[in-house]
Amino acid sequence: MTKEKLTLEVIERLKKEYPDADCTLDYDQAWKLLVSVRLAAQCTDARANIVVEDLFAKYPSVDALAEADVEDIERIVHPCGLGKSKARDISACMKMLRDEFGGHIPKDFDKILKLPGVGRKSANLIMGDVFHEPAIVTDTHCIRLTNRIGLVDAIKEPKKVEMALWKLVPPEEGSDFCHRLVYHGREVCTARTKPHCDTCCLNDICQKNGVS
């Protein structure tokens, strides 16, 4: 099976397995997703969702968070780890949104990338979930699963995985496909335990099982 056909088959099977898969970070405004995804770095989405409740309760707008004392932001976000750098990035990012973009996230990938603390993964998440544009979010689940399944060949660098997947995944499928990989990576194709291949919907086409 070619990589192109394998990719389409994987997409269809995951659609059936996780029809309602969506972003696992809670947000009701675009700027809040930007904050949450920064906090979720090297932290679980579940913990980030809890921490932002206090942060957004105290600072409910871009302007409020831009004006906040960085040390107070750090105190609130500390449970997510890397509190100092995350607080600094969040503060700088909100100031930039306020001062250069009228308090709104720009609908331009390259401009989003210029925001402090925002990398390609975060920018793609914003493009896909906020603006519903084609996006490939290469988080740890995406990288691990696409290598195991055989969509990419021993590629670990996020940008290289992203570029490889752009050649295989139909643009309109990219964002939802990556969300489904997160669900599948947490529930079945796990990282810290032996993957549950016996219950996997991709068992018969996964390269990890020796299928070519």
Side-chain angles (χ1 to χ4, degrees), residues 23-26 36-37 39-54 79-80 141 182 186:
C23 181
T24 52
L25 290 167
D26 297 333
S36 293
V37 74
L39 291 179
Q42 299 182 47
C43 172
T44 65
D45 287 1
R47 180 176 291 277
N49 285 336
I50 293 171
V51 169
V52 293
E53 289 184 12
D54 290 339
C80 289
H141 295 290
V182 171
R186 289 177 179 173

Side-chain angles (χ1 to χ4, degrees), residues 136-148:
I136 298 287
V137 182
T138 50
D139 63 3
T140 56
H141 295 290
C142 176
I143 294 169
R144 183 177 75 258
L145 268 64
T146 54
N147 273 279
R148 281 181 176 175

